[in-house]
Amino acid sequence: GAGVSQSPRYKVAKRGQDVALRCDPISGHVSLFWYQQALGQGPEFLTYFQNEAQLDKSGLPSDRFFAERPEGSVSTLKIQRTQQEDSAVYLCASRQSGSSSYNEQFFGPGTRLTVL
Amino acid sequence: AQSVTQPDIHITVSEGASLELRCNYSYGATPYLFWYVQSPGQGLQLLLKYFSGDTLVQGIKGFEAEFKRSQSSFNLRKPSVHWSDAAEYFCAVILTGGGNKLTFGTGTQLKVEL
């Protein structure tokens, strides 16, 4: 079946613009994660959803970052008033189960955001 | 501080040679342990994981990893590297006892010489 998809794959924004990044998880997957990967670094956790509930947003770096998953499937990560330090690859992952943290997270190809 | 360490930023091996990528973690309890591979333009793909039991874990693409509690290590190995193994490799953990997020190391970039 289809894997996790993300759009757009590439986004260039001017500093101060708002951006919205979309994630389509694997159908039926309960859990959804967002990670941020800066150049030369490993991914870092941003936020976690179980169905439509955002259970953990401890990794969001500032109140300019906002994520939602209103119907428990597609998720959008929004960044307001983008700054140069927001330039990174944003990865989405989904997991079939809600509570079993040992189960595999399946990753999308990511959205590369460049803020000029 | 709690962390995942991959001491080697870059490794170069010849095709057909053996490979070992190092990973150490620093947590009070043994976390769930994972190895992921990331190829250019591709998403992260899970190679293998360890929860408990046999400390030698077999994964996809001929990879294996050995958990050593005494050394807080989870090193990835492959007996004979193929040119297609060139990629970036990430060690990651999930804390046992309720955690959900993956915490990644900084990665090891593998180059394979033909």
Side-chain angles (χ1 to χ4, degrees), chain A residues 35 37 40-45 91 105 107, chain B residues 2-9 20-27 30-38 44-50 57 63-68 71-77 87-95 101-110:
Chain A
Y35 294 85
Q37 186 175 18
Q41 301 296 314
E44 292 191 356
F45 170 80
L91 298 169
Q105 293 182 27
F107 282 81
Chain B
Q2 298 179 331
S3 65
V4 181
T5 303
Q6 293 181 249
D8 304 305
I9 299 174
E20 183 170 28
L21 303 181
R22 295 183 290 165
C23 174
N24 293 90
Y25 62 91
S26 174
Y27 291 91
T30 301
Y32 300 145
L33 298 158
F34 304 80
W35 274 99
Y36 279 85
V37 60
Q38 187 176 42
L44 288 155
Q45 182 181 21
L46 180 67
L47 291 175
L48 47 76
K49 60 185 179 181
Y50 174 79
V57 180
F63 285 93
E64 65 180 26
E66 185 173 14
F67 168 64
K68 292 185 177 180
Q71 299 177 18
S72 297
S73 69
F74 188 56
N75 293 350
L76 183 71
R77 302 196 295 243
E88 186 144 29
Y89 291 79
F90 292 95
C91 181
V93 306
I94 290 179
L95 296 181
K101 63 181 182 182
L102 284 160
T103 299
F104 289 85
T106 52
T108 297
Q109 184 71 46
L110 174 65

Side-chain angles (χ1 to χ4, degrees), chain A residues 11-16 82-84 86-87 113-116:
Chain A
K11 177 69 178 178
V12 178
K14 293 183 179 179
R15 188 162 55 94
T82 54
Q83 304 295 315
Q84 285 189 321
D86 300 335
S87 295
L113 173 64
T114 302
V115 181
L116 303 177

Side-chain angles (χ1 to χ4, degrees), chain A residues 9-10 91 108-110 112, chain B residues 38-44:
Chain A
R9 292 293 309 276
Y10 303 90
L91 298 169
R112 181 177 297 278
Chain B
Q38 187 176 42
S39 300
Q42 304 295 315
L44 288 155

Side-chain angles (χ1 to χ4, degrees), chain A residues 32-84:
Chain A
L32 186 145
F33 302 80
W34 284 98
Y35 294 85
Q36 180 191 58
Q37 186 175 18
L39 189 64
Q41 301 296 314
E44 292 191 356
F45 170 80
L46 293 176
T47 188
Y48 161 61
F49 289 87
Q50 188 173 121
N51 295 307
E52 68 278 5
Q54 189 175 20
L55 299 186
D56 187 351
K57 53 182 181 179
S58 62
L60 295 176
S62 77
D63 58 7
R64 296 186 295 105
F65 286 70
F66 173 76
E68 60 183 4
R69 194 186 186 199
E71 297 179 358
S73 56
V74 171
S75 177
T76 303
L77 177 67
K78 298 179 180 178
I79 309 173
Q80 297 177 325
R81 305 181 302 282
T82 54
Q83 304 295 315
Q84 285 189 321

